[in-house]
């Protein structure tokens, strides 16, 4: 993950340097982008691409674009009108430093520029046009109203309400699982995977993505804000989470089952899928 993270960060640095934007907006975008996330989604793009034997140089740019969408979602997620958190990626949240208006606009810009990258003929050189369109469509759907934005909406509307395990699974699948699954599918598409490979990897991503949010819920109550580098506010905000509905031990077991299901989805892949399997194991083993 460390090695791949360097490739993603290098692309993001270069891209941000060339971007023509008002200084304050650029500072705000750069502040959150460079604050040091785990880069899980772009690393998954690269790992899925490797798993199918892909050779597209554009895979790094596509991963970086997804990381920009993820970073936008974090900036907006932390806003006072959303989760109202003060601490993210080891630093004060974007709106705490730049104010709500610039934080909202930095999020808007990151989301929009991601699609500028994905549709740029120079950056995506060598990728067949139909593949480019499929990638754009895949990511747009995952990030949009039936995916992440829809999930975030249900999350906010469910605060303090009594919802059941099925409703919570739906929220987590959308708000977090969708973009993680799209990351894996993006790597597969750019690697010119077969239809069967794409579907296996989509299932891998859906299970691993859901497990990732369950682990996030668990860490929110078991780790300190300092350890996580972000505020822990689920209990205070009355969020329904896997531990709050199922209990901590059951939630842990469910996350492990989901990871095993993810690994099972790629059972027919050879050793080139080993990094992908390792990342799936890391999702539940991580402590931050
Ligand atoms: C946090 O995502 C938000 C969720 C979807 C759970 P990450 O845990 O991937 O955050 P960073 O990118 O490492 O900061
Ligand atoms: C956020 O879930 C998922 C997103 C799409 C940003 P959380 O609200 O649990 O994420 P954290 O814990 O603030 O990182
Ligand atoms: Mg949230
Ligand atoms: Mg949050
Ligand atoms: Mg959380």
């Amino acid at each position: 993950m460390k090695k791949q993270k360097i490739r993603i960060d290098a692309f993001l640095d270069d891209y941000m340097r060339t971007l023509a934007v008002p200084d304050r907006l650029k500072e705000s975008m750069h502040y959150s982008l460079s604050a040091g996330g785990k880069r899980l989604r772009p690393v998954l793009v690269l790992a899925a691409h490797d798993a199918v034997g892909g050779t597209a140089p554009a895979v790094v740019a596509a991963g970086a674009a997804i990381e920009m969408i993820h970073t936008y979602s974090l900036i907006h997620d932390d806003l006072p009108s959303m989760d109202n958190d003060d601490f993210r990626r080891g630093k004060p949240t974007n709106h705490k430093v730049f104010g709500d208006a610039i934080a909202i606009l930095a999020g808007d810009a990151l989301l929009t520029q991601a699609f500028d990258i994905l549709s740029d003929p120079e950056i995506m050189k060598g990728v067949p046009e139909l593949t480019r369109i499929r990638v754009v469509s895949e990511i747009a759907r995952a990030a949009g109203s039936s995916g992440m934005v829809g999930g975030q909406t249900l999350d906010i509307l469910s605060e303090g309400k009594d919802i059941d395990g099925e409703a919570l699974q739906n929220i987590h699948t959308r708000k977090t699982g969708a973009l993680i699954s799209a990351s894996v599918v993006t790597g597969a598409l750019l690697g010119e995977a077969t239809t069967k490979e794409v579907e296996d990897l989509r299932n891998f991503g859906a299970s691993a993505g859901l497990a990732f949010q369950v682990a996030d819920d668990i860490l929110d109550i078991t780790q300190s804000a300092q350890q996580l580098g972000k505020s822990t506010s689920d209990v205070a905000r009355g969020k329904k989470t896997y531990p709050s509905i199922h209990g901590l031990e059951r939630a842990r077991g469910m996350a492990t089952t989901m990871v095993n299901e993810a690994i099972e989805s790629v059972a027919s892949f050879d050793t080139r899928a080993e990094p992908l399997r390792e990342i799936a194991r890391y999702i539940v083993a991580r402590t931050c």
Side-chain angles (χ1 to χ4, degrees):
M1 283 183 76
K2 271 193 200 137
K3 214 167 70 191
Q4 302 294 45
K5 189 175 180 300
I6 292 168
R7 297 171 70 194
I8 299 300
D9 289 348
F11 179 92
L12 287 171
D13 278 351
D14 283 353
Y15 180 76
M16 284 304 295
R17 235 193 309 279
T18 62
L19 206 57
V21 279
D23 286 347
R24 194 70 180 153
L25 180 61
K26 193 165 179 164
E27 274 175 54
S28 172
M29 293 164 78
H30 185 262
Y31 177 83
S32 290
L33 261 185
S34 66
K38 294 180 286 292
R39 309 298 196 221
L40 174 81
R41 293 152 193 80
V43 169
L44 280 171
V45 175
L46 297 171
H49 181 256
D50 287 345
V52 300
T55 56
V59 74
V60 174
I66 292 178
E67 183 65 20
M68 289 168 74
I69 296 174
H70 167 60
T71 302
Y72 122 73
S73 83
L74 298 179
I75 296 173
H76 284 194
D77 181 73
D78 290 332
L79 287 167
S81 49
M82 298 274 285
D83 289 353
N84 192 20
D85 283 324
D86 296 347
F87 189 47
R88 169 73 66 185
R89 292 182 163 173
K91 300 205 288 193
T93 43
N94 195 293
H95 67 269
K96 281 275 158 190
V97 177
F98 296 91
D100 293 7
I102 299 298
I104 292 168
L105 292 165
D108 293 340
L110 286 167
L111 171 60
T112 311
Q113 294 313 130
F115 286 100
D116 181 44
I117 292 175
L118 293 168
S119 57
D120 187 308
E122 253 324 291
I123 297 175
M124 288 293 136
K125 205 161 62 191
V127 178
E129 272 172 29
L130 184 59
T131 305
R132 284 187 217 173
I133 292 170
R134 287 181 71 192
V135 166
V136 166
S137 162
E138 182 71 35
I139 296 171
R141 270 192 206 164
S145 46
S146 66
M148 186 175 75
V149 172
Q152 288 284 72
T153 305
L154 297 173
D155 177 287
I156 293 295
L157 295 177
S158 307
E159 271 182 22
K161 297 233 172 73
D162 233 344
I163 58 162
D164 62 15
E166 201 180 324
L168 183 65
Q169 181 178 329
N170 180 41
I171 292 173
H172 282 19
T173 298
R174 290 175 193 272
K175 78 171 183 177
T176 301
L179 194 62
I180 290 181
S181 189
S183 303
V184 177
V185 170
T186 294
L189 291 173
L190 291 173
E192 288 169 45
T194 64
T195 308
K196 160 95 169 59
E197 285 173 329
V198 171
E199 285 324 302
D200 286 349
L201 286 167
R202 187 187 296 285
N203 291 333
F204 171 92
S207 299
L210 182 57
F212 186 80
Q213 184 62 50
V214 176
D216 182 81
D217 288 355
I218 293 170
L219 294 171
D220 192 273
I221 56 165
T222 58
Q223 303 289 331
S224 65
Q226 197 171 342
Q227 164 83 1
L228 296 176
K230 65 179 183 181
S231 309
T232 53
S233 60
D234 288 347
V235 176
R237 290 202 68 79
K239 295 277 193 198
K240 284 289 172 300
T241 64
Y242 269 67
S244 80
I245 288 192
H246 303 287
L248 184 56
E249 278 324 300
R250 255 198 95 207
R252 282 205 170 105
M254 291 167 95
T256 302
T257 304
M258 289 164 197
V259 163
N260 290 338
E261 280 165 7
I263 293 171
E264 194 53 41
S265 305
V266 292
S268 65
F269 285 62
D270 63 21
T271 53
R272 290 176 303 183
E274 209 41 51
L276 212 49
R277 298 185 185 102
E278 277 303 318
I279 295 167
R281 292 182 196 108
Y282 153 81
I283 283 174
V284 282
R286 70 200 171 102
T287 53
C288 65

